[in-house]
Amino acid sequence: MAAGRALGLGPVLLFCLWGLAAPASLLRRLGQHIQQYQERAGLGLSPGAAVLPKVGWLEQPLDPFNTSDRRSFLQRYWVNDQHWAGQDGPVFLHLGGEGSLGPGSVMTGHPAALAPAWGALVIGLEHRFYGLSLPAGGLDLAQLRFLSSRHALTDAASARLALSRLLNVSSSSPWVCFGGSYAGSLAAWARLKFPHLFFASVASSAPVRATLDFSEYNDVVSRSLTNAAVGGSPECRAAVAAAFADVERRLRAGGRARIALRTELGACGRLGSAADRAELLGALQAVVGGAAQYDRQAGAPLGVRTLCGILLARDRRGVPAPYSGLRRAVQIVKHSLGQRCLSFSRAATVAQLRATEPQVSGVGDRQWLYQTCTEFGFYVSCEDLRCPFSLLPALPSHLDLCEQVFGLTASSVAQAVAQTNSYYGGQTPRATHVLFVNGDIDPWHVLSVTQALGPSAPALLIPGASHCLDMAPERPSDSPSLCQGRQNISQQLQAWLGPTKENQGRI
């Protein structure tokens, strides 16, 4: 059943993944800022300059695994039929992830850029419990048990059948799933679990391996900071380490040094407790990690080159001042996001995450934390001495948040992560017609598939590309490797879809 609601703009791609609240909050808002920037640019420079796509609503079962449960919710979707060649044309389904999905999902970037060549119908499907696809009843634990990747995949399968009828799509039309980040995993898993419904998938920056301790994240960030191709250098990495060492020294000194630090870095917590200090250090890690994760993306306040330039700048005496550079980076990010604080107290974070009233304008922090606690983990740590950041926050701090907010023990989280990998296959999912696309400076590529799993499960690793960059709208400044990567995606679709088009022509 379709129903109408008010049209709203939302982000284009997907929010970054991160488990702990302080860095999660900052990085997710960075992702939201970048995506909204790209959407506004893609839909036109002035209001009304672009033709907005159609918005619709599907009535979906709240619990698709229990036929006796009659409760339902409305799931939002977007449709761009500007290039649709007719009912026999392919359908490109852009799956939403852990955030709001707006009209840009079908109007800018992939798969919209590929639609004209194929005469494809483009549909964007918002993930349950995010954006405006919120079931009635709030976000308490009784409701959140219906939030999982398995529920989302069942929604996609149900939408595939319902929208085929509503939009008069031919039964012979191939459906191709697209998604980035967590939704990239969903795209791959949709083909894995429903190969009779989805013909192929393009999974961008898809972390298909769940992991409790994601220390590899900072390993990649550290390497990216030394990557000359994106503006890094060994000196830059050393400057980051020096800046964090200075922050920790000031935290240990206490007194006036800690008060000054709180003001200079925008910490709204008092920094008196170890938990509050960990929140600040986690947020600072997110500032640096975000520069690598979103490097060279339109709307990103910092990239690796800019960050390194700031950290390596010298003071008036000609002396390197990494801490001053880190302060400047924090100011840039806060100003870009319109935030007063870089971090909050741990108590304030927990209180916010315990709130069960949906925040339509928010980015789904409570919902995503629940999914990390019950499915994925993804808790970024820095406990290796080679890590250039502070050793805090440590893994126990992440896991403690699951217990404080949801009452879930560390052992239950570890068990959930293991079950996710067992159910989907981790980094060796036995899916065919799935193209995995990653960038080598994206910290998440180490949890994805970067080498072909077989002739029908190819992989593409783009040098110098960041998180989901292949899905972003094309820009004149795009690197040759990114342009080649997008061309490779198009060629792979040609190899898969070409024969189906020929067969339709013979019918």
Side-chain angles (χ1 to χ4, degrees):
M1 178 186 296
R5 285 193 184 177
L7 182 72
L9 298 183
V12 178
L13 306 180
L14 306 171
F15 299 135
C16 89
L17 312 169
W18 197 313
L20 183 67
S25 176
L26 180 65
L27 276 174
R28 286 165 66 78
R29 279 156 182 78
L30 264 176
Q32 182 185 46
H33 169 78
I34 292 166
Q35 293 149 14
Q36 289 179 336
Y37 177 94
Q38 293 177 4
E39 181 166 82
R40 286 193 298 269
L43 293 179
L45 298 176
S46 59
V51 178
L52 291 176
K54 303 178 181 71
V55 62
W57 300 84
L58 288 174
E59 186 175 357
Q60 297 274 33
L62 181 64
D63 185 359
F65 306 115
N66 181 6
T67 55
S68 64
D69 190 336
R70 299 295 184 181
R71 289 175 296 173
S72 63
F73 74 100
L74 292 178
Q75 185 172 30
R76 182 167 59 166
Y77 66 92
W78 302 91
V79 178
N80 176 3
D81 58 5
Q82 292 181 13
H83 308 291
W84 194 22
Q87 62 178 200
D88 293 324
V91 180
F92 292 167
L93 179 63
H94 187 162
L95 295 174
E98 70 287 13
S100 176
L101 195 71
S105 63
V106 296
M107 297 294 288
T108 63
H110 275 120
L114 294 166
W118 288 100
L121 176 68
V122 186
I123 300 173
L125 184 68
E126 191 168 63
H127 196 296
R128 62 165 56 206
F129 283 84
Y130 293 101
L132 297 183
S133 298
L134 296 168
L139 299 173
D140 60 20
L141 280 174
Q143 286 282 98
L144 288 178
R145 63 192 178 96
F146 302 113
L147 170 60
S148 73
S149 59
R150 301 184 193 192
H151 286 90
L153 291 174
T154 305
D155 290 341
S158 175
R160 152 75 167 87
L161 299 173
L163 291 174
S164 291
R165 294 190 299 269
L166 281 170
L167 302 175
N168 195 27
V169 177
S170 170
S171 60
S172 63
S173 293
W175 286 62
V176 180
C177 290
F178 290 78
S181 200
Y182 161 53
S185 299
L186 291 177
W189 295 335
R191 172 64 188 165
L192 174 68
K193 297 299 183 181
F194 300 101
H196 59 296
L197 296 178
F198 301 109
F199 176 76
S201 293
V202 178
S204 297
S205 300
V208 290
R209 171 168 65 92
T211 183
L212 198 65
D213 186 351
F214 188 17
S215 60
E216 299 110 312
Y217 184 100
N218 282 324
D219 291 342
V220 179
V221 172
S222 182
R223 290 198 301 271
S224 298
L225 291 173
T226 66
N227 188 337
V230 295
S233 66
E235 293 78 13
C236 177
R237 185 192 180 282
V240 169
F244 273 83
D246 203 352
V247 171
E248 288 202 89
R249 179 184 60 79
R250 293 165 189 252
L251 285 173
R252 287 193 301 267
R256 292 182 178 178
R258 190 178 291 173
I259 293 173
L261 186 75
R262 177 186 175 192
T263 302
E264 292 166 355
L265 296 181
C268 285
R270 285 189 164 280
L271 303 181
S273 71
D276 290 354
R277 295 193 289 273
E279 289 282 297
L280 172 62
L281 290 167
L284 291 172
Q285 289 181 27
V287 169
V288 178
Q293 180 163 315
Y294 294 115
D295 184 66
R296 292 190 287 186
Q297 300 212 19
L302 288 175
V304 173
R305 189 177 304 278
T306 305
L307 176 66
C308 289
I310 293 171
L311 289 168
L312 292 172
R314 297 176 179 270
D315 63 18
R316 294 176 181 175
R317 297 170 297 166
V319 177
Y323 172 72
S324 296
L326 183 61
R327 285 180 54 192
R328 176 63 181 147
V330 167
Q331 292 168 356
I332 290 172
V333 171
K334 286 199 306 176
H335 176 75
S336 178
L337 300 182
Q339 291 191 183
R340 180 174 61 91
C341 302
L342 181 70
S343 71
F344 296 85
S345 71
R346 178 69 166 209
T349 295
V350 171
Q352 176 193 359
L353 290 167
R354 282 176 173 170
T356 60
E357 285 299 314
Q359 301 294 321
V360 173
S361 61
V363 293
D365 286 338
R366 176 176 168 83
Q367 298 97 300
W368 181 242
L369 177 65
Y370 178 79
Q371 287 197 262
T372 68
C373 295
T374 56
E375 293 191 87
F376 305 122
F378 295 151
Y379 302 122
V380 176
S381 67
C382 187
E383 299 175 55
D384 190 314
L385 293 178
R386 295 172 298 177
C387 181
F389 307 122
S390 163
L391 300 185
L392 291 174
L395 180 60
S397 177
H398 295 266
L399 294 172
D400 186 56
L401 202 58
C402 293
E403 184 151 19
Q404 289 187 67
V405 177
F406 301 118
L408 298 171
T409 64
S411 61
S412 72
V413 179
Q415 184 178 6
V417 168
Q419 288 176 342
T420 296
N421 288 328
S422 176
Y423 183 71
Y424 293 119
Q427 286 175 294
T428 54
R430 294 186 177 274
T432 59
H433 279 196
V434 177
L435 172 61
F436 290 94
V437 184
N438 286 279
D440 69 352
I441 70 163
D442 174 22
W444 294 92
H445 83 270
V446 295
L447 300 183
S448 189
V449 176
T450 57
Q451 295 183 340
L453 299 176
S456 60
L460 176 62
L461 185 63
I462 304 174
S466 57
H467 195 60
C468 300
L469 188 57
D470 60 289
M471 297 187 72
E474 295 182 9
R475 305 168 68 196
S477 59
D478 287 340
S479 68
S481 60
L482 177 59
C483 295
Q484 181 61 51
R486 290 195 177 113
Q487 185 176 342
N488 291 343
I489 295 171
S490 182
Q491 290 171 347
Q492 185 60 69
L493 286 176
Q494 173 64 40
W496 285 336
L497 290 174
T500 67
K501 194 170 185 179
E502 294 173 5
N503 290 336
Q504 288 175 342
R506 287 195 291 266
I507 295 176

